[in-house]
Amino acid sequence: MHIVRYSLPGSPDARVGVLNGDRISGLTDVDELADLWTLRLDDLRERLTRPPAGGDLALADAQILPPVDGRTEVWAAGVTYEISREARVEESERSADIYELVYHAPRPELFFKSAAWRVAGDGQPIAVRTDSTLDVPEPEVALIINAFGEIAGYSVCNDVSSRSIEGENPLYLPQAKMYLGGCALGPFVRPAWEVADPYDLAIELTIIRSGEVAWAGTASTGQLHRTYDELVRWLLHSDVYPHGVILSTGTCLVPPAPFSLEQDDVVRIDISEIGTLTNPVVRGLDAIKTALA
Ligand code: DO4
Ligand code: MG
């Protein structure tokens, strides 16, 4: 079972449903996905397993939308895998020790990544900036956390990042990571109770250029240096998320320099049990604005 946000052909209205196999059952009394994150986990489970009240439709007949809406924010954790620490130490000669420190510190690196409205869904374009020379996708497990701090589900996030901007000065992190086309999520949410061991998920990143694999790598969430609960606890330490929050848990794959994303590349992220997120790449603000128009 997956939780899906979608629209019907010819209608601009977003709906929420449950996907079983290739059929979507609409949740008729749910206005937006964020409504589900106001429920406790037990109540969510009961709600989703209730016999569908409305009709159903084929997945192929629906337009799948990014699984985040309303006032649900997207946050991200950094330097949670050794590969990310190594890559950042390498690209950031003058500030290398901050990455070492945060990797071992009790407090993790957490940063705001995106408002819901600017998150790309499956098949939608992501972007690299024209003031950046080294750009990479970051394939990450995303936690969907409800208003009570419980992990309600999992999805796939691409924390698209400029390595050259962050590497120049870590204080440029927001510019390296938060811009139109810098975040993709989806296609669906897998409910937490269906994932037997979230520390044993295979993550695969494939970058296709001109029809050929330009870079590919695999890793596992077993290499995560922290626990999901620990990341959630810090995120909620002095803050509230009444509409739930998405937390992307850090990258375990970084294509080594000088590899950099280019216009028309296609990025595919497969996470076992969770899903496959595919996004084409465009370069520059005008290109992403045109692609989204
Ligand atoms: O330290 C900067 C961000 C790290 C990050 O996004 C990651 O490790 O995934
Ligand atoms: Mg990241």
Side-chain angles (χ1 to χ4, degrees):
M1 175 201 289
H2 286 89
I3 303 166
V4 55
R5 187 167 162 264
Y6 66 101
S7 62
L8 298 175
S11 162
D13 299 337
R15 294 161 183 248
V16 178
V18 171
L19 174 69
N20 279 302
D22 63 356
R23 306 294 300 178
I24 299 175
S25 309
L27 297 173
T28 45
D29 55 346
V30 177
D31 290 335
E32 55 179 18
L33 204 49
D35 293 346
L36 295 181
W37 316 140
T38 65
L39 302 176
R40 286 195 180 273
L41 194 58
D42 288 346
D43 296 333
L44 176 68
R45 188 171 185 167
E46 188 278 320
R47 177 67 196 83
L48 296 187
T49 45
R50 239 184 257 168
D56 71 345
L57 80 156
L59 175 61
D61 292 337
Q63 168 76 41
I64 301 304
L65 303 173
V68 59
D69 58 15
R71 295 173 71 180
T72 306
E73 299 168 4
V74 181
W75 284 68
V79 202
T80 50
Y81 288 88
E82 195 174 343
I83 187 78
S84 177
R85 175 180 64 88
E86 282 170 3
R88 289 182 152 89
V89 165
E90 179 194 299
E91 78 201 357
S92 169
E93 283 162 32
R94 279 170 301 166
S95 316
D97 54 335
I98 68 162
Y99 295 99
E100 288 288 355
L101 289 171
V102 83
Y103 184 74
H104 295 288
R107 181 192 294 275
E109 178 197 5
L110 297 175
F111 55 92
F112 179 79
K113 175 69 184 174
S114 186
W117 68 266
R118 53 163 80 230
V119 173
D122 187 46
Q124 291 187 307
I126 52 174
V128 294
R129 302 173 56 122
T130 50
D131 56 355
S132 169
T133 54
L134 208 54
D135 300 276
V136 287
E138 294 195 353
E140 307 187 5
V141 170
L143 310 177
I144 289 73
I145 303 159
N146 68 22
F148 305 94
E150 298 169 303
I151 297 173
Y154 300 91
S155 194
V156 181
C157 183
N158 186 345
D159 172 24
V160 190
S161 302
S162 162
R163 295 186 72 184
S164 55
I165 295 176
E166 183 190 336
E168 190 180 336
N169 187 323
L171 294 180
Y172 294 154
L173 188 82
Q175 295 171 74
K177 293 207 169 254
M178 290 152 234
Y179 58 89
L180 191 64
C183 181
L185 186 77
F188 317 118
V189 173
R190 186 91 199 261
W193 57 86
E194 293 209 342
V195 179
D197 184 357
Y199 297 102
D200 187 22
L201 303 176
I203 302 186
E204 200 175 331
L205 170 64
T206 311
I207 302 163
I208 297 150
R209 182 168 298 163
S210 308
E212 313 251 304
V213 174
W215 194 87
T218 54
S220 163
T221 54
Q223 296 159 323
L224 185 63
H225 176 65
R226 299 181 185 265
T227 64
Y228 296 128
D229 286 344
E230 178 188 351
L231 296 174
V232 173
R233 192 163 37 80
W234 280 104
L235 184 64
L236 272 69
H237 187 283
S238 299
D239 215 345
V240 291
Y241 298 94
H243 306 266
V245 58
I246 314 277
L247 178 59
S248 197
T249 54
T251 190
C252 48
L253 288 165
V254 182
F259 185 92
S260 188
L261 286 175
E262 290 180 5
Q263 167 85 31
D264 298 329
D265 283 354
V266 174
V267 178
R268 194 178 73 221
I269 302 171
D270 295 286
I271 304 186
S272 57
E273 298 184 55
I274 310 298
T276 299
L277 176 66
T278 307
N279 301 93
V281 178
V282 299
R283 184 167 175 78
L285 183 58
D286 288 345
I288 186 80
K289 278 163 67 178
T290 305
L292 293 176

